[in-house]
Amino acid sequence: MNEIDQITAALIKFRNDRDWAQFHNTKNLAVALSIEAAELNELFLWKTTDESEQVDAQKIQEELADILAYAFLIAEKHNFNVKQIVLDKIKKNTEKYPVEKAKGSAKKYNEL
Amino acid sequence: MNEIDQITAALIKFRNDRDWAQFHNTKNLAVALSIEAAELNELFLWKTTDESEQVDAQKIQEELADILAYAFLIAEKHNFNVKQIVLDKIKKNTEKYPVEKAKGSAKKYNEL
Amino acid sequence: MNEIDQITAALIKFRNDRDWAQFHNTKNLAVALSIEAAELNELFLWKTTDESEQVDAQKIQEELADILAYAFLIAEKHNFNVKQIVLDKIKKNTEKYPVEKAKGSAKKYNEL
Amino acid sequence: MNEIDQITAALIKFRNDRDWAQFHNTKNLAVALSIEAAELNELFLWKTTDESEQVDAQKIQEELADILAYAFLIAEKHNFNVKQIVLDKIKKNTEKYPVEKAKGSAKKYNEL
């Protein structure tokens, strides 16, 4: 079993042991993920860019793990292959952000 | 190279080809991730739980891929092992949510 | 002094008493607002639509107050007239969502 | 009719003309608000603090108006008096963040 399947299996076991699948519809999982994303952001709130890099790695790690957990659960629910969907998106973005136009620019594709 | 390392290598190549590392401080990456999380939520906005399960899988896949991409980039920046941090968090949550208390309940650990 | 000016004056006094203007750049205020929005959402997480209407009003009130506080602070920073900008947006949305097309539909304007 | 009541009346009229009250349960309104908050944040994404202050005011105004609209609709749904709930929260925060401890500090109340 590959790495992501192992992580997903651990998440599903944790969930099923608690009978929580009943709460894990896609809409709820997406809200849960965005709440965890806000908790990650809260670690850097009011801090400068530099100060943000000094935040306790343990705290970042835990919030990021929560985000990843919900992301893997959504992927599992929809039978997405995580590697494939990220590589597909990179391919799509390669067209939206051609190197010659996007290099060094933070502009959105529709403003390039 | 394992799966997550392969995904991360593809993300880093895409980024470096565009000279975007300069924008990818942790604070910015966290905001970017939360914006993508909101775009995922927008797919289900105003929809019932059931209607949300009927949303075009291609759209979900693309928003989820964006979220995963930023999550992997944050992990890479901090040298986190994705598998390890999720398994660590599951372990921690196993203590916060003991099966006998949490089974079938959607309550937060501090209300169990 | 009208109502919104009174609220804003109280917020500015609270802030200046603490010398917090230094942290309140627009980018930070926007992140702060989105974190408070996530805290509001957390009150309804895993709950059905009906259960969400039973959530303690005091909790909703406090999270909503935090959101409003940051919204008023952003408006003050940019010298926006809150009433005017909301009425302007309603006018714009009246064109994007004409009654005959939008009535009873939850579709986004570009899908109507 | 005071200012906030006028804004709210305009929002309710816009909504009722389109028969949208059916979608506006509290859970959905809270998600909608957080999506608009993310759109506000997107205006500043990848930008420095200084660059963020140069963003087109018209764009900020429109995203902020969307946030305020949902905040006022949630307040209306729960019969909250906007002025009162913000003043109540300021009072509460005055106790959580006493001037002598909080002055010049961006720390959260539980770390002061």
Side-chain angles (χ1 to χ4, degrees):
Chain A
M1 193 156 56
N2 75 36
E3 222 180 359
I4 293 172
D5 287 345
Q6 287 171 33
I7 303 170
T8 304
L11 289 166
I12 295 295
K13 184 187 179 333
F14 176 85
R15 173 170 85 184
N16 289 350
D17 284 349
R18 283 156 190 77
D19 197 17
W20 284 353
Q22 59 184 313
F23 307 116
H24 283 198
N25 56 69
T26 309
K27 182 169 176 162
N28 278 350
L29 288 171
V31 175
L33 195 155
S34 74
I35 292 169
E36 298 300 339
E39 292 183 6
L40 179 66
N41 276 281
E42 195 178 1
L43 299 178
F44 314 118
L45 184 60
W46 312 127
K47 292 191 166 56
T48 64
T49 302
D50 286 346
E51 289 165 351
S52 296
E53 300 300 342
Q54 307 309 318
V55 167
D56 180 7
Q58 178 67 27
K59 288 182 183 172
I60 299 175
Q61 174 180 325
E62 291 194 22
E63 299 304 345
L64 190 62
D66 285 333
I67 293 166
L68 284 159
Y70 287 122
F72 289 142
L73 285 169
I74 295 171
E76 190 270 348
K77 193 169 190 74
H78 291 268
N79 294 313
F80 295 148
N81 178 307
V82 164
K83 180 179 164 188
Q84 200 52 55
I85 70 172
V86 179
L87 295 185
D88 284 355
K89 195 66 202 288
I90 293 174
K91 200 177 167 197
K92 192 164 179 176
N93 281 344
T94 300
E95 289 160 32
K96 279 166 84 174
Y97 295 93
V99 170
E100 63 276 15
K101 278 192 176 177
K103 194 160 190 170
S105 164
K107 287 187 184 164
K108 218 178 161 176
Y109 68 94
N110 53 10
E111 296 171 348
L112 281 175
Chain B
M1 196 157 54
N2 73 37
E3 223 180 358
I4 293 173
D5 288 344
Q6 287 171 33
I7 303 170
T8 304
L11 289 166
I12 296 295
K13 184 185 178 336
F14 176 84
R15 172 171 85 184
N16 289 349
D17 283 349
R18 283 157 190 78
D19 197 17
W20 284 354
Q22 59 184 312
F23 308 117
H24 282 197
N25 56 69
T26 309
K27 182 170 176 161
N28 278 351
L29 287 170
V31 174
L33 194 155
S34 75
I35 292 169
E36 299 300 341
E39 292 183 5
L40 179 65
N41 275 281
E42 195 178 0
L43 299 177
F44 314 118
L45 184 60
W46 313 127
K47 292 189 166 58
T48 64
T49 302
D50 286 346
E51 288 165 352
S52 296
E53 300 301 342
Q54 306 309 317
V55 166
D56 180 7
Q58 179 65 29
K59 289 182 183 170
I60 300 175
Q61 174 180 325
E62 291 194 21
E63 300 303 347
L64 190 62
D66 285 332
I67 293 166
L68 284 160
Y70 287 122
F72 289 142
L73 285 169
I74 295 170
E76 190 271 346
K77 193 169 190 73
H78 291 269
N79 294 312
F80 295 149
N81 178 306
V82 164
K83 181 179 163 188
Q84 200 52 54
I85 70 172
V86 179
L87 295 185
D88 284 355
K89 195 65 202 286
I90 292 174
K91 200 178 166 195
K92 192 164 179 175
N93 282 343
T94 300
E95 288 159 34
K96 278 166 85 175
Y97 295 94
V99 170
E100 63 276 15
K101 277 191 178 178
K103 195 159 190 170
S105 165
K107 287 188 184 163
K108 218 177 163 176
Y109 68 93
N110 52 11
E111 295 172 348
L112 279 175
Chain C
M1 194 156 56
N2 74 36
E3 220 179 359
I4 293 172
D5 288 344
Q6 288 171 33
I7 303 171
T8 304
L11 289 165
I12 295 296
K13 183 185 179 334
F14 176 84
R15 172 170 86 185
N16 289 351
D17 284 348
R18 284 156 190 77
D19 197 17
W20 283 354
Q22 60 186 311
F23 307 117
H24 283 197
N25 56 68
T26 308
K27 183 170 175 160
N28 278 350
L29 287 170
V31 175
L33 194 156
S34 75
I35 292 169
E36 298 300 339
E39 292 183 6
L40 179 66
N41 275 281
E42 196 178 0
L43 299 178
F44 314 118
L45 184 60
W46 312 126
K47 292 189 166 57
T48 64
T49 302
D50 286 346
E51 289 165 351
S52 296
E53 301 300 343
Q54 307 308 318
V55 167
D56 181 7
Q58 179 65 28
K59 288 182 183 172
I60 300 174
Q61 173 180 325
E62 292 194 20
E63 299 304 345
L64 190 62
D66 285 333
I67 293 166
L68 284 160
Y70 286 122
F72 289 142
L73 285 169
I74 295 170
E76 190 271 346
K77 194 170 189 71
H78 291 270
N79 294 313
F80 295 149
N81 178 307
V82 164
K83 181 179 163 188
Q84 199 52 54
I85 69 172
V86 179
L87 295 186
D88 284 355
K89 196 64 201 290
I90 292 174
K91 199 177 166 196
K92 193 165 179 176
N93 281 343
T94 300
E95 288 160 32
K96 279 166 85 174
Y97 294 94
V99 170
E100 63 276 16
K101 277 191 177 179
K103 194 159 190 171
S105 164
K107 286 187 185 165
K108 217 177 162 176
Y109 68 94
N110 52 10
E111 294 172 348
L112 281 175
Chain D
M1 196 156 53
N2 74 36
E3 222 180 359
I4 293 172
D5 288 345
Q6 287 170 34
I7 303 170
T8 304
L11 289 165
I12 296 296
K13 183 185 178 333
F14 176 85
R15 174 171 83 186
N16 289 349
D17 283 350
R18 283 156 191 78
D19 197 16
W20 284 354
Q22 60 184 311
F23 307 117
H24 283 198
N25 57 68
T26 309
K27 182 169 176 162
N28 278 351
L29 288 170
V31 175
L33 194 155
S34 75
I35 292 168
E36 298 300 340
E39 292 183 6
L40 179 65
N41 276 282
E42 197 178 359
L43 298 178
F44 314 118
L45 185 60
W46 312 127
K47 292 190 167 57
T48 64
T49 302
D50 287 346
E51 289 165 350
S52 296
E53 301 300 341
Q54 307 308 317
V55 166
D56 181 7
Q58 178 66 28
K59 288 182 183 170
I60 299 175
Q61 173 180 326
E62 291 193 21
E63 298 304 345
L64 190 62
D66 285 333
I67 292 166
L68 284 160
Y70 287 123
F72 289 142
L73 285 169
I74 295 170
E76 190 270 345
K77 194 170 189 71
H78 291 269
N79 294 312
F80 295 149
N81 177 309
V82 165
K83 180 178 162 188
Q84 199 52 54
I85 70 172
V86 179
L87 295 185
D88 283 354
K89 195 64 202 287
I90 292 175
K91 198 177 167 195
K92 193 164 178 175
N93 281 343
T94 300
E95 289 160 32
K96 279 165 85 176
Y97 294 94
V99 170
E100 62 277 14
K101 278 192 176 177
K103 195 159 190 170
S105 164
K107 286 188 184 162
K108 217 178 161 174
Y109 68 93
N110 53 11
E111 295 171 347
L112 281 175

